[in-house]
């Protein structure tokens, strides 16, 4: 067993080594669709208190594992911890999502930013990882994560989610040097943040490039991919004699899979618009693949969900190298029993692909 884990399916699949069935975890597996999450969240009072109190972050990280047979835990945190630690003044406004009091707009705003100390301002994330890793006691691997530089930059520049990105895209065109300075600083911050996460107990890393797919191919290469590649180069891939795999997920990145795989990452996350069979043909000899059921389908009937799970498994086909997941995060409206149906389907249908 890898790393002394009781369940190392996820690590084996990421290394494209044989498994007995396809491992599975779900993006946003801890969250508002679970009543026990809403209860802890209410007790914490607000979202950032939940993230920054290690015992509470640990509690919600483990909630989906108590309920479901999942093959990995993902530390409960957020990608916006880095911009928050840079002093932008993060708050979560009810019904609006994240808002920054001090968005970054000009070259002089960017000059004032510094790489946060992962064991200082961000030390609460490391504490949450340490507490959670100990509580997991080797049941499944613990995933650490960060936003990609470009995705973090969109929130920092726009000051909120849910925009058309005109300010962020405008910076790339009208002040490319300032944009590169910001993205370079974010890449350095992410490298030190992820290395510290590994030291604190993360066994797998994932980079969320949620907004890479809104860029033109040229801008994606220049302003997103380049910095993700720098991060893959910069992180230590071994810890205590074990490899630490990294998964890159560009939502909407289906047209750039070969380039993403060429960064040297271990796995590529796919949204549901990509056909797994085609992705595997393109990059399956270099990386593992993670995905990619449309999370909206979790609102359909349990029979429908089972059919769609079988479609995803069938599209990847026989052999290792697939980590089952959604193509994006689970939404708050999903009934918890539908997640049970999804997990049962993966458990029952996937062994046939690993004989
Ligand atoms: O996957 C997990 O279970 C781990 C936890 C996790 C959260 N956010 C918890 C969270 C992870 C991996 C993230 C990543 C994240 N955060 C991303 C990248 C992935 C993606 O979904 O594209 C992004 C873009 C964010 C930024 C962010 N954080 C937004 C846009 C929001 C508001 C969303 C909303 O629905 O209100 C958050 C808050 C947030 N992060 C919540 C959770 C469970 C909801 C907060 C609450 O409880 O009110």
């Amino acid at each position: 067993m890898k790393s002394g884990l009781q369940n190392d399916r996820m690590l084996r699949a990421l290394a494209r080594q044989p498994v007995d069935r396809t491992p599975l975890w779900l993006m946003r597996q801890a969250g508002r669709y679970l009543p026990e999450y809403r209860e802890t969240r209410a007790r914490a009072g607000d979202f950032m208190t939940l993230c920054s109190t290690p015992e509470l972050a640990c509690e919600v990280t483990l909630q989906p594992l108590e309920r479901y047979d999942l093959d990995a835990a993902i530390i409960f945190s957020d990608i916006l911890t880095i911009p928050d630690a840079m002093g932008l003044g993060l708050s979560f406004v009810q019904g609006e999502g994240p808002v920054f009091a001090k968005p970054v707009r000009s070259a002089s705003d960017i000059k004032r930013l510094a790489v946060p100390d992962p064991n200082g301002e961000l030390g609460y994330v490391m504490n949450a990882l340490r507490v959670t890793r100990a509580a997991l006691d080797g049941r499944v691997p613990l995933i650490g994560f960060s936003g990609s530089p470009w995705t973090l930059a969109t929130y920092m520049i726009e000051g909120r989610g849910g925009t058309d990105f005109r300010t962020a895209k405008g910076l790339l065109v009208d002040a490319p040097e300032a944009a590169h300075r910001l993205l370079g600083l974010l890449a350095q911050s992410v490298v030190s943040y992820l290395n510290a996460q590994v030291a604190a107990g993360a066994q797998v890393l994932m980079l969320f490039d949620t907004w890479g797919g809104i860029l033109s191919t040229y801008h994606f290469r220049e302003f997103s991919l380049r910095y993700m590649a720098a991060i893959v180069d910069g992180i230590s891939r071994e810890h205590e004699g074990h490899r630490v795999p990294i998964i890159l997920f560009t939502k909407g990145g289906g047209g750039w899979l070969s380039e993403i795989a060429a960064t040297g990452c271990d796995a590529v996350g796919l949204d549901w618009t990509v056909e797994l069979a085609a992705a595997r043909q393109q990059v399956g000899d270099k990386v593992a693949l993670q995905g990619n059921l449309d999370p909206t389908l979790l609102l359909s009937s349990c029979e429908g969900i089972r059919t769609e799970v079988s479609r995803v498994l069938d599209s990847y086909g026989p052999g290792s190298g697939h980590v089952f997941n959604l193509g994006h995060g689970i939404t708050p409206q999903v009934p918890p029993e539908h997640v049970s149906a999804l997990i049962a389907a993966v458990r029952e249908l996937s062994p046939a692909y690993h004989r």
Side-chain angles (χ1 to χ4, degrees):
M1 290 279 158
K2 284 178 183 271
S3 323
L5 283 162
Q6 290 147 42
N7 172 351
D8 65 351
R9 255 181 220 107
M10 164 92 171
L11 296 182
R12 295 187 66 84
L14 288 172
R16 289 172 290 139
Q17 293 167 353
V19 285
D20 55 344
R21 61 176 171 81
T22 306
L24 145 104
W25 70 280
L26 304 173
M27 288 192 263
R28 290 271 177 107
Q29 63 191 23
R32 282 170 296 184
Y33 75 105
L34 290 177
E36 57 271 33
Y37 171 84
R38 297 197 296 270
E39 196 274 312
T40 312
R41 166 86 161 69
R43 207 160 11 105
D46 66 275
F47 176 70
M48 282 312 280
T49 305
L50 184 51
C51 292
S52 59
T53 312
E55 292 69 28
L56 295 180
C58 172
E59 183 180 315
V60 292
T61 301
L62 299 183
Q63 283 171 349
L65 284 100
E66 304 303 333
R67 216 184 236 268
Y68 306 117
D69 192 2
L70 293 159
D71 297 299
I74 180 164
I75 189 66
F76 191 81
S77 187
D78 200 79
I79 63 164
L80 300 178
T81 50
I82 287 181
D84 181 50
M86 288 177 162
L88 272 63
L90 173 64
S91 56
F92 285 89
V93 179
Q94 200 66 38
E96 271 197 66
V99 176
F100 285 111
K102 287 176 275 181
V104 167
R105 287 286 156 82
S106 61
S108 64
D109 289 346
I110 293 169
K111 280 208 180 102
R112 278 196 287 275
L113 301 172
V115 173
D117 176 358
N119 295 303
E121 302 93 306
L122 292 164
Y124 65 91
V125 179
M126 308 312 145
N127 291 335
L129 282 158
R130 277 186 284 267
V131 170
T132 306
R133 173 76 187 266
L136 275 170
D137 196 25
R139 269 168 78 187
V140 291
L142 179 58
I143 306 171
F145 68 90
S146 170
S148 72
W150 163 248
T151 292
L152 296 179
T154 63
Y155 287 98
M156 293 170 74
I157 298 164
E158 298 286 332
R160 60 201 316 116
T163 66
D164 62 3
F165 304 101
R166 71 176 74 176
T167 316
K169 287 185 180 180
L171 190 79
L172 307 186
V173 174
D174 292 328
E177 279 177 24
H180 280 303
R181 191 182 176 117
L182 173 61
L183 293 162
L185 187 84
L186 285 167
Q188 277 180 45
S189 304
V190 171
V191 167
S192 86
Y193 187 50
L194 291 179
N195 280 335
Q197 289 192 30
V198 171
Q203 291 152 295
V204 176
L205 297 173
M206 174 152 166
L207 213 47
F208 287 92
D209 187 30
T210 306
W211 301 119
I214 63 161
L215 293 170
S216 70
T217 295
Y218 172 80
H219 286 134
F220 172 72
R221 282 185 191 135
E222 195 63 11
F223 295 102
S224 186
L225 184 64
R226 186 212 276 216
Y227 293 97
M228 292 200 286
I231 291 165
V232 173
D233 277 344
I235 53 177
S236 357
R237 308 285 281 282
E238 279 234 343
H239 185 67
E240 293 173 346
H242 298 291
R243 183 170 177 87
V244 182
I246 178 156
I247 307 163
L248 301 192
F249 172 54
T250 294
K251 183 158 179 285
W256 309 311
L257 298 180
S258 314
E259 293 168 72
I260 297 169
T263 58
C265 64
D266 297 87
V268 175
L270 306 172
D271 67 49
W272 61 93
T273 64
V274 179
E275 192 184 24
L276 267 168
R280 187 179 187 182
Q281 238 176 19
Q282 253 189 77
V283 298
D285 58 338
K286 293 187 197 67
V287 291
L289 296 171
Q290 174 174 281
N292 68 347
L293 189 92
D294 179 351
T296 306
L297 303 184
L298 285 175
L299 299 169
S300 312
S301 68
C302 292
E303 303 76 69
I305 290 167
R306 192 179 171 90
T307 307
E308 296 303 323
V309 164
S310 74
R311 237 190 269 292
V312 170
L313 292 172
D314 205 55
S315 183
Y316 186 83
S320 186
H322 180 210
V323 174
F324 196 100
N325 206 316
L326 303 173
H328 199 201
I330 192 165
T331 55
Q333 301 77 24
V334 169
E337 316 80 74
H338 288 204
V339 174
S340 308
L342 172 126
I343 292 170
V346 176
R347 277 193 73 94
E348 288 160 30
L349 302 173
S350 73
Y353 296 91
H354 299 283
R355 291 200 219 292

